[in-house]
Amino acid sequence: MRSSPGFTLIELMIVVVVLGILVAAGIVNSIAMRDRAHEASVKSNMHTFQLAAEDYATRYDGDYAADASDVAAVLAGMPAGSTFKNPYDQSTGSSNSWRDQGTWGAPMVSGTTRAGCVAYGDSVSAKYQIVGRAKTADLTLILRN
């Protein structure tokens, strides 16, 4: 008896299972990588906001902005200001990509549940803190003057 060339059903099932495992591992890794990229973008936004806060202080004899909207006005004039977006949903503006944190605390909390939002808080125009919100919690990084 002569066997026909080809794969048996068992061999095909093994190949499908192996491919399924590889695809599942790739999906998990890509989700984790996307989350790390979003978090890195929030940190980048925090640094950009810090540069704008320092620019504001330079313009106003060393006094820092009393409100995040004052810093955002400087940010809008910066070359990269038009790209200051919330990395999670691409929204812009107050309470979307940045917000003012009216309550001073050390360390400061963002005071928001909106992922990707950068919060700015000042202490009588002498000090500031900037904190960002990741997917589920505030980042451990807090920028200060």
Side-chain angles (χ1 to χ4, degrees), residues 61-76:
D61 299 323
D63 290 335
Y64 292 104
D67 192 89
S69 60
D70 297 332
V71 177
V74 172
L75 185 65

Side-chain angles (χ1 to χ4, degrees), residues 95 99 101 109-119 132-134 136-138:
S95 298
R99 71 180 299 273
Q101 177 58 299
V109 295
S110 67
T112 184
T113 57
R114 187 178 189 94
C117 195
V118 172
R133 177 82 180 180
T136 58
D138 286 351

Side-chain angles (χ1 to χ4, degrees), residues 63-68 70-71 100-105 108 119-130 145:
D63 290 335
Y64 292 104
D67 192 89
D70 297 332
V71 177
D100 186 66
Q101 177 58 299
T103 306
W104 180 263
M108 188 174 83
Y120 171 88
D122 71 288
S123 173
V124 197
S125 301
K127 302 191 278 186
Y128 68 80
Q129 295 181 89
I130 298 171
N145 59 318

